[in-house]
Amino acid sequence: MSMADALACAIADAAAGALPDPAVALRHVAAPGFGGTALFVGTIRDLNHGRAVVGVSYDLYDALALNVFRRACEEAAAAFGPAIRLYVAHARGRLAVGEVAVVVAAGTPHRDEAFRACRAVIEAVKHQAPIWKQEHYADGDSAWSEGCSLCGGDAHAAPVPAGPA
Amino acid sequence: MSMADALACAIADAAAGALPDPAVALRHVAAPGFGGTALFVGTIRDLNHGRAVVGVSYDLYDALALNVFRRACEEAAAAFGPAIRLYVAHARGRLAVGEVAVVVAAGTPHRDEAFRACRAVIEAVKHQAPIWKQEHYADGDSAWSEGCSLCGGDAHAAPVPAGPA
Amino acid sequence: MTATVSVRLFGAFRDLAPAAVVELPLPDDASVATLRAALEAHGRGHWPAFQPGLLAVSVFASAERVLREHEPVPRDGELAVLPPVSGG
Amino acid sequence: MTATVSVRLFGAFRDLAPAAVVELPLPDDASVATLRAALEAHGRGHWPAFQPGLLAVSVFASAERVLREHEPVPRDGELAVLPPVSGG
């Protein structure tokens, strides 16, 4: 199997009825030589910082997000492979409480590599991928989440320039 | 929700067509307040220590295994809860390559607790539960796996007495 | 006083006895260590395929827990001998 | 020489311009830092809801990667400004 087949990255368009699917992820990372699969599923919570949440809208810079997903998978494959299969999918659009925002799966011969690769990839998705979350509250208000600055969080980024606060 | 509902442990009888099911595990650990779910799936590999494997038979001491699963879940809930839901299921009987031997899932508000709880529970299943694996090889031979001695591996166990090697 | 205890056999021990259980006469106040010695004597006397080395790395257990070597053998409920485990 | 570059807007910046894109005139040899200054000037001049503090913790990127502050603005392909991210 080629490395290209072994790594799959996707964006699921909620407006078209698609959401990241754990079953698809598990099927993608399965192989007869693999004994361990680790999966992470991120879902929309009904409460954040004490406010009742009724839904979340995700905005993505699709092209760069897919590049970040792919690089995260390649780095995990270099660290925990070469016998490894990885899957990442993230939702775009508006999701309700309990719906799946992100799925990451890693299949490997043994469990330690699967857990570590899965964790490394979800951390990259959370901290490096160009994805923004707008929370919709029960009181009708909406707000973009405070996030994780990419300044300095990526080898490609320069430090934050001194600027107006 | 009571802690009893939050923790589910099961043995799936392969002879009756049942196998641990990741979808059931994910449904069990989902809750509106949870944003992170970690799942581990253990499957039968086609190769072990260089020998071609065609199947594995699992023998379990059911009553004690369920007690060990439950204790492992309780310990993970104490360490990573109280907002946590956990699921463990292990197969009994003969499985083919690729079939699911074990599933562990943990749902929590945030991902770190989910990963750590899932890992802690699968380690307990692997090292403390009374489960034995007989591998069936392509050449027709079968052998019980060398395993992990429970002597000293558990607070309840005494050191191995000096005895014939 | 002596009474018979039943010990369930699992894993590689299961192959030694068709019923996967062995009956052993044991003094009422016997410890788990005494049970271990009795099972070893039985194995050496009755089971050509018996592996004393496997018993040495095995533990005894009830349905609730693994038993300590020096505690008395519980007389209510099940007993089992557990070779090294390999779940998952 | 000066040419216009298009910068895509995401997250909280998306609300500032209906098309979620801003056109900025920029010298051909402009660095990313110069682009940042041009976007800040545009924001202060045109967008009442513009938050300079958010821009200060944002980065510029192409479709391939986050851009360094001192490198020249690439003139082929897309440009975007990325506020702090919150995926997953």
Side-chain angles (χ1 to χ4, degrees), chain A residues 58-61 63-64 67 71 90 102 126 129-133 144-145 147-151 155-158 160-161 164-165, chain D residues 8 10-12 14-15 36 40 44 53 56-59 61-66 68-69 78 80 82-88:
Chain A
Y58 283 102
D59 185 20
L60 282 83
Y61 184 9
L64 180 58
N67 275 324
R71 274 203 295 271
H90 199 289
V102 59
K126 294 258 183 182
I131 303 174
W132 300 273
K133 177 163 73 174
W144 291 97
S145 265
C148 183
S149 172
L150 295 177
C151 308
H156 301 291
V160 188
Chain D
R8 297 184 60 181
F10 290 98
R14 185 185 276 278
D15 300 336
R36 180 185 297 276
E40 183 176 341
R44 289 183 184 273
V57 291
S58 299
V59 296
S62 69
E64 283 76 40
R65 62 187 181 84
V66 173
R68 290 188 180 82
E69 208 61 14
E78 292 187 334
L82 314 181
V85 299
S86 54

Side-chain angles (χ1 to χ4, degrees), chain B residues 2-69:
Chain B
S2 78
M3 187 53 74
D5 292 334
L7 312 180
C9 304
I11 293 170
D13 185 2
L19 287 176
D21 185 340
V24 171
L26 290 175
R27 274 199 301 276
H28 176 77
V29 302
F34 290 178
T37 297
L39 175 82
F40 176 77
V41 183
T43 47
I44 307 301
R45 295 195 296 145
D46 64 359
L47 201 71
N48 199 22
H49 297 299
R51 292 187 78 175
V53 171
V54 295
V56 165
S57 294
Y58 284 102
D59 185 20
L60 282 82
Y61 183 8
D62 290 13
L64 180 58
L66 288 169
N67 276 323
V68 170
F69 295 171

Side-chain angles (χ1 to χ4, degrees), chain A residues 22-40 84-87 103-118, chain B residues 22 38-45 98-100 102-105 115 118 122 126:
Chain A
V24 171
L26 290 175
R27 275 198 299 276
H28 175 78
V29 301
F34 290 178
T37 297
L39 175 82
F40 176 78
I84 192 166
R85 294 178 66 85
L86 291 157
Y87 183 91
V103 166
V104 173
T108 57
H110 300 284
R111 71 186 176 286
D112 185 56
E113 289 77 8
F115 271 106
R116 292 168 70 192
C118 183
Chain B
L39 175 82
F40 176 77
V41 183
T43 47
I44 307 301
R45 295 195 296 145
E99 287 192 312
V100 174
V102 61
V103 167
V104 173
F115 271 106
C118 183
I122 184 62
K126 294 258 185 184

Side-chain angles (χ1 to χ4, degrees), chain D residues 31-80:
Chain D
S31 68
V32 171
T34 304
L35 172 59
R36 180 185 297 276
L39 180 58
E40 183 176 341
H42 181 94
R44 289 183 184 273
H46 295 79
W47 296 326
F50 177 66
Q51 303 167 271
L54 186 64
L55 178 59
V57 291
S58 299
V59 296
F60 290 84
S62 69
E64 283 76 40
R65 62 187 181 84
V66 173
L67 303 173
R68 290 188 180 82
E69 208 61 14
H70 297 293
E71 71 178 291
V73 173
R75 295 304 177 118
D76 53 339
E78 292 187 334
L79 288 173

